[in-house]
Amino acid sequence: MSLPDQTHKSRFQRSRNLALAGVMLAVAVASACTVRPLYSTAPVAPGVPAVATTGLRSIAIKPVKTRYAQQVRNNLIFGLNGGAGQPATPLYSLDLDITERETASAIVQRVTEDEPTAATITVTSHYTLKEIGTDKVVSFGKREISSSFDIPRQEFAALRARMNAEDRAARELAELLRLALAQDLARPH
């Protein structure tokens, strides 16, 4: 065997050893991680219940004042409890501050004045989750969702299109809030 062949084999062996060491390091790091589904009903450890799932089912949502806020609240109650309504003995209280704004998206038709033919509804929720009894703030945050709609010339059709956009935004915002609350409850606090 000549000298260049030994150098080539030696480089190949070193790179193979480095690759093997890298794989072993990645396996060691990955084994230290604990990955589990967010909504899992399986216990985190023996005797310890899954916090996110049981926590979500024990959230009471305070009343709201507007139609679109009530849509968000109703969808969130349904999502948290699978249609069972508010919990009988809640551990947490959720306060929602929901606002809405409408923005003209396009002006295409020209009648006697420039009327928008499309708009976007943006529904925003600021939320605060507190423990009942201690009033300790467990989490707080803000979520926002937009929904676009066409504005036809007929007044009732335009009103109905706007309400449908509000309903779509409310469903999606409730789903975002449910996910945010599950993530907040899964974290140690």
Side-chain angles (χ1 to χ4, degrees):
M1 188 182 281
S2 66
L3 187 59
D5 287 338
Q6 284 179 335
T7 307
H8 179 68
K9 282 186 178 181
S10 156
R11 282 186 191 155
F12 177 74
Q13 186 67 27
R14 267 189 258 136
S15 58
R16 192 172 133 221
N17 288 343
L18 281 173
L20 184 61
V23 168
M24 291 184 68
L25 179 65
V27 167
V29 168
S31 70
C33 295
T34 55
V35 178
R36 57 191 286 311
L38 183 61
Y39 299 116
S40 173
T41 56
V44 178
V48 179
V51 177
T53 304
T54 56
L56 288 176
R57 292 176 190 242
S58 60
I59 296 175
I61 304 171
K62 292 183 180 178
V64 291
K65 296 179 182 170
T66 61
R67 179 196 171 279
Y68 56 86
Q70 187 63 43
Q71 289 289 75
V72 173
R73 182 178 182 265
N74 290 346
N75 284 302
L76 188 55
I77 289 171
F78 187 85
L80 293 177
N81 300 307
Q86 294 269 46
T89 55
L91 300 175
Y92 303 100
S93 171
L94 182 66
D95 188 23
L96 297 173
D97 178 25
I98 301 173
T99 57
E100 172 189 82
R101 74 177 182 277
E102 181 179 336
T103 333
S105 300
I107 298 175
V108 178
Q109 65 189 10
R110 299 218 179 239
V111 183
T112 55
E113 56 188 75
D114 290 338
E115 296 177 8
T117 58
T120 301
I121 294 280
T122 303
V123 182
T124 305
S125 174
H126 294 271
Y127 68 92
T128 306
L129 183 67
K130 295 180 182 177
E131 284 184 3
I132 292 180
T134 64
D135 271 351
K136 175 186 169 194
V137 175
V138 176
S139 71
F140 61 92
K142 173 186 171 186
R143 295 294 182 270
E144 184 174 270
I145 197 79
S146 296
S147 181
S148 297
F149 65 101
D150 290 331
I151 304 174
R153 288 185 182 178
Q154 187 198 26
E155 191 173 337
F156 179 75
L159 178 64
R160 190 67 240 178
R162 185 181 198 289
M163 288 175 71
N164 288 343
E166 281 180 351
D167 293 347
R168 280 192 313 274
R171 277 191 309 273
E172 291 180 32
L173 183 59
E175 191 60 33
L176 282 176
L177 288 169
R178 185 172 73 94
L179 179 60
L181 292 169
Q183 289 173 332
D184 293 342
L185 289 173
R187 283 190 214 111
H189 47 277

